[in-house]
Amino acid sequence: MKRLFLTAAGLLLCIIAGAQDGTVTYALPRTCITLEVEAVKETFFAGPYAKFSEKYLGVEARQEDGTSYQLQSVRMVPCVEADPSVVLSAALPKGGVPDSFFSLTSQGLISIPAAASPKESEWRFTSLVNSDFAGKGISSNLTSEAATLYRNVKEQSAYNKISVQQSMVVEKSAEAKAKETADMIFELRRTRVQIVTGDTDASFSGEAMAAALDEIDRLEKEYTSLFVGYSNFQTQKFNFDVIPQKGTNMYIAFRLSETEGLLPAESASGRPYVLNVTAAESLAPAAVSKSKTAVLYRIPAVCTVRLMDGATALFQTRVPVYQFGTEAAYPMN
């Protein structure tokens, strides 16, 4: 068995010639559209003082934890592969194959690969992310509160109740702690204005002023997160393949679920993203030779490809699609 591998115009030509029967086996090409999709997972943690944010800061805040996904980017990569439904063979002419035969690689004459290369798989979001508000408080969790107690005092003819003032240590309410935090946020803002305008006893300039302002910003963000919460972001990436078929122009490329993220087209949940593949121009049919020494090749049809999110087009481009094109013959002799 004699094997010959050549590369031309970005396509692989693999001719397997039998020493005894003198034939070449090949496959016609087809276009596969690969979508490299990236989504962002947002895990939101509501602040412990969320229900007091409007009262003390004048802003509305989400009051419940939640997870959501948003589409970040889509990259389309058209690639050419062997069409397993069209495997052909042709007799080699006497004297061998002419050099001009190999120019057919630019028209898409390719072979069936012996085996598909395994793709690496990666599991996303393997570790859970927990909320972390530790160390962001500004004061003790305890406060003093005045309480009035009574004790009985024996006098000449009876017992009388006498009030006694006593200080007790009790737990602060959530609202009291929220008010203290809000007061600290406004104090930080006032301090920032004083530093910038120079209305302060201390003098700041150059790097000292920048360092002071950065520290004030950091503290303000920490305390504000106790009201408005914070989000943790992670990236999810998947590749989805779409192989256009004759007679069909609309394909569900993938789905996006608010709670599960990117999903394949066959999933029952998630919002569908549709790939529309339409031939821009129809090609005239080519004459196909019946000669045993002729090989077939495909001339691709240029198609307009759109990715749709409902009625919104996310992108549009032109792609040559081989299986929508026309077939022609090339005599090897």
Side-chain angles (χ1 to χ4, degrees):
M1 185 70 69
K2 178 183 178 183
R3 297 172 183 263
L4 178 62
F5 298 88
L6 292 178
T7 301
L11 301 178
L12 177 66
L13 170 63
C14 175
I15 301 175
I16 304 176
Q20 295 180 352
D21 53 12
T23 61
V24 59
T25 302
Y26 61 98
L28 295 185
R30 69 179 182 186
T31 300
C32 174
I33 300 175
T34 298
L35 298 176
E36 299 176 357
V37 186
E38 184 173 317
V40 173
K41 175 187 179 183
E42 178 188 7
T43 304
F44 175 77
F45 301 102
Y49 308 149
K51 63 181 179 180
F52 306 112
S53 62
E54 189 169 5
K55 179 177 182 179
Y56 291 113
L57 295 183
V59 296
E60 294 185 0
R62 295 165 59 182
Q63 299 187 21
E64 295 182 358
D65 296 347
T67 300
S68 62
Y69 289 83
Q70 287 188 343
L71 194 66
Q72 180 74 9
S73 65
V74 180
R75 180 171 179 260
M76 188 187 71
V77 182
C79 59
V80 179
E81 62 185 21
D83 189 342
S85 64
V86 187
V87 182
L88 305 169
S89 62
L92 291 174
K94 294 181 179 180
V97 181
D99 294 339
S100 59
F101 169 76
F102 297 112
S103 64
L104 282 177
T105 54
S106 63
Q107 301 298 328
L109 178 63
I110 63 175
S111 72
I112 297 177
S117 301
K119 294 183 178 179
E120 295 182 1
S121 59
E122 183 176 357
W123 185 259
R124 294 284 177 172
F125 315 126
T126 55
S127 59
L128 296 177
V129 181
N130 298 319
S131 59
D132 180 18
F133 293 101
K136 296 184 179 180
I138 61 170
S139 58
S140 169
N141 195 42
L142 302 177
T143 186
S144 294
E145 199 172 84
T148 302
L149 303 180
Y150 294 90
R151 65 186 178 94
N152 292 326
V153 178
K154 184 178 181 181
E155 296 183 351
Q156 293 181 355
S157 60
Y159 286 92
N160 293 325
K161 289 184 176 180
I162 300 177
S163 62
V164 178
Q165 294 293 328
Q166 182 174 338
S167 179
M168 298 180 62
V169 177
V170 296
E171 183 180 358
K172 287 181 183 178
S173 67
E175 183 171 1
K177 291 186 285 186
K179 184 179 183 306
E180 287 186 4
T181 305
D183 291 341
M184 178 59 74
I185 291 173
F186 289 116
E187 181 62 28
L188 288 170
R189 293 175 181 176
R190 284 190 291 269
T191 302
R192 179 168 53 228
V193 173
Q194 290 172 351
I195 293 175
V196 172
T197 59
D199 184 17
T200 176
D201 294 336
S203 60
F204 295 90
S205 62
E207 295 182 358
M209 177 180 288
L213 295 177
D214 289 344
E215 181 62 16
I216 290 174
D217 291 342
R218 185 188 67 83
L219 291 173
E220 183 184 353
K221 289 179 181 178
E222 279 197 359
Y223 298 150
T224 304
S225 71
L226 295 172
F227 289 92
V228 300
Y230 71 93
S231 294
N232 181 276
F233 296 93
Q234 295 173 299
T235 301
Q236 185 186 40
K237 296 180 180 180
F238 281 105
N239 290 351
F240 300 97
D241 296 330
V242 174
I243 300 177
Q245 306 290 334
K246 284 187 176 181
T248 305
N249 293 333
M250 308 286 287
Y251 310 87
I252 297 179
F254 61 92
R255 296 178 182 269
L256 181 66
S257 168
E258 284 288 331
T259 56
E260 300 178 61
L262 294 171
L263 298 172
E266 58 270 17
S267 177
S269 60
R271 186 170 75 253
Y273 286 79
V274 177
L275 197 69
N276 186 311
V277 183
T278 306
E281 298 178 0
S282 58
L283 296 176
V288 177
S289 173
K290 296 182 179 180
S291 172
K292 294 182 179 180
T293 59
V295 294
L296 295 181
Y297 63 96
R298 279 177 171 169
I299 303 173
V302 178
C303 297
T304 300
V305 178
R306 299 183 185 90
L307 182 64
M308 307 294 296
D309 177 12
T312 304
L314 300 183
F315 67 74
Q316 176 176 316
T317 187
R318 288 162 59 88
V319 176
V321 178
Y322 280 91
Q323 56 269 41
F324 284 3
T326 186
E327 296 177 3
Y330 181 86
M332 286 190 294
N333 57 0

